[in-house]
Amino acid sequence: MTFTPESRRERLRTLLDLPTTTPNEDSARLMEVAEASVHADEDGASAVRVVTADGDAIPAFLLRPDPEAATGAAVVLVAGHGRGIDDLVAVDPADEYHDGLAHKLARAGLTVLCPEMISFGRRRFPRPAGGVPYEPTENSCGIDAARYLLHGRPLMGARAADAQAAVQALRRLPGVDPQRVGVAGGSGGGAVSLFLAAADPTIAGALVASYFCSFEASLCSIRHCPCNIVPGLLPDLEMADIAALIAPRPLILEAGERDRIFPIEATRRSFAQLAPVWEATGAPAPELVVTDAGHAFRAERSLESLVQRLR
């Protein structure tokens, strides 16, 4: 069977249980809430809610750049496993993995919206009354993944849908160019960013860190959280096939040379498959930034490249 990019995209949307058509841009909005951010500093992280088309209110942080530095571009930033959005804005001390990432993006001139994903922070599955409270970095992925899979849906798809609603809401903000809203994230947040950018061709570009590899060399060979499982992807939609659906839009990948759960050799092999796809469209090829780190998100050259490509 011959697959076209659009047939692959429709297949991916179906497997993720995302709408097969792009939702109405008026279907999501931001709502300010009276909740002081314990991490807010001079960069101004404001607590908001992303209100979806279904009326769900997703906790989020919004960061606006200094007016003199603002580029008009924006990004939905998705956290990896940890405390959720608190890790993205923590500065004193900064989260070891994200390293104040939301503030880095805002200082680079981007408007940044950080929606809380299911299973983390404020959206963990409730513990029974009288049960042991969650530890700060503990998640409820195992429970939530089982709940979704038993209903025939992947948790990853629900997260992608929530990130998509955040993109729609961000496009409506004054000062944001709706044509220049991208997605970014590392590890689990990188997974959401990769899947959403591939499934939704209106996303302006993506920065995916410490995730892009191959399913065969990572999820199928090394123990990972069950929240990553999207039944039916293989054999037709390996990571490189999914990433190729982002063409001709900008794609920046970051990987650690010593990342033990996403082996760099497989990352390089998968990345080698991408350049011809972009070249066929006449667009600049994706960029792979390899750091000397393990499983970490440095956001140095990769952040610089994202800002350049969203101009």
Side-chain angles (χ1 to χ4, degrees):
M1 179 178 179
T2 301
F3 292 98
T4 65
E6 194 51 44
S7 68
R8 286 183 184 273
R9 183 173 287 114
E10 290 302 317
R11 174 66 174 159
L12 178 63
R13 287 173 177 159
T14 298
L15 293 173
L16 290 171
D17 197 30
L18 284 175
T20 55
T21 57
T22 303
N24 188 305
E25 290 300 323
D26 294 331
S27 61
R29 60 186 175 84
L30 285 181
M31 176 178 66
E32 294 187 6
V33 296
E35 176 187 330
S37 167
V38 297
H39 300 298
D41 59 5
E42 67 274 10
D43 292 299
S46 302
V48 297
R49 294 284 188 272
V50 175
V51 181
T52 71
D54 295 330
D56 295 331
I58 303 169
F61 283 128
L62 175 67
L63 294 85
R64 301 299 297 259
D66 186 293
E68 295 182 358
T71 66
V75 66
V76 167
L77 179 61
V78 185
H81 282 63
R83 295 180 303 160
I85 58 176
D86 284 350
D87 282 345
L88 295 174
V89 300
V91 292
D92 189 21
D95 171 64
E96 184 176 342
Y97 178 84
H98 296 98
D99 192 27
L101 182 55
H103 301 297
K104 289 182 181 179
L105 289 162
R107 286 194 290 269
L110 303 177
T111 298
V112 186
L113 181 60
C114 311
E116 192 84 278
M117 294 289 100
I118 299 168
S119 306
F120 305 115
R122 296 157 180 77
R123 299 185 73 191
R124 293 177 289 192
F125 188 77
R127 285 272 167 88
V132 178
Y134 282 107
E135 294 294 328
T137 60
E138 193 176 0
N139 61 64
S140 61
C141 288
I143 294 172
D144 292 317
R147 291 171 59 240
Y148 274 80
L149 288 171
L150 286 169
H151 284 86
R153 301 176 57 204
L155 179 56
M156 184 62 68
R159 290 175 178 168
D162 288 345
Q164 186 177 51
V167 168
Q168 294 157 12
L170 192 48
R171 285 178 176 146
R172 300 178 65 185
L173 273 187
V176 170
D177 181 347
Q179 303 301 315
R180 292 192 290 145
V181 178
V183 291
S187 193
V192 174
S193 299
L194 181 71
F195 280 112
L196 178 56
D200 184 348
T202 71
I203 303 293
L207 167 54
V208 176
S210 52
Y211 176 75
F212 182 76
C213 184
S214 72
F215 293 124
E216 185 60 38
S218 57
L219 272 64
C220 295
S221 301
I222 301 166
R223 180 174 294 181
H224 281 262
C225 180
C227 71
N228 287 284
I229 297 172
V230 180
L233 284 177
L234 295 179
D236 299 321
L237 288 171
E238 249 293 0
M239 277 200 207
D241 300 311
I242 294 170
L245 297 175
I246 300 174
R249 293 165 289 150
L251 172 62
I252 301 97
L253 303 166
E254 179 178 315
E257 186 76 45
R258 296 177 289 110
D259 193 331
R260 295 183 178 180
I261 59 176
F262 295 100
I264 192 62
E265 295 84 1
T267 296
R268 288 191 169 104
R269 287 194 299 271
S270 294
F271 179 71
Q273 302 175 46
L274 301 183
V277 181
W278 269 257
E279 289 171 0
T281 70
E287 181 174 354
L288 174 61
V289 178
V290 179
T291 72
D292 62 0
H295 191 67
F297 195 172
R298 291 285 177 80
E300 294 167 353
R301 169 56 199 166
S302 61
L303 171 56
E304 178 185 342
S305 183
L306 177 69
V307 173
Q308 290 173 346
R309 297 194 184 205
L310 288 180
R311 287 191 184 280

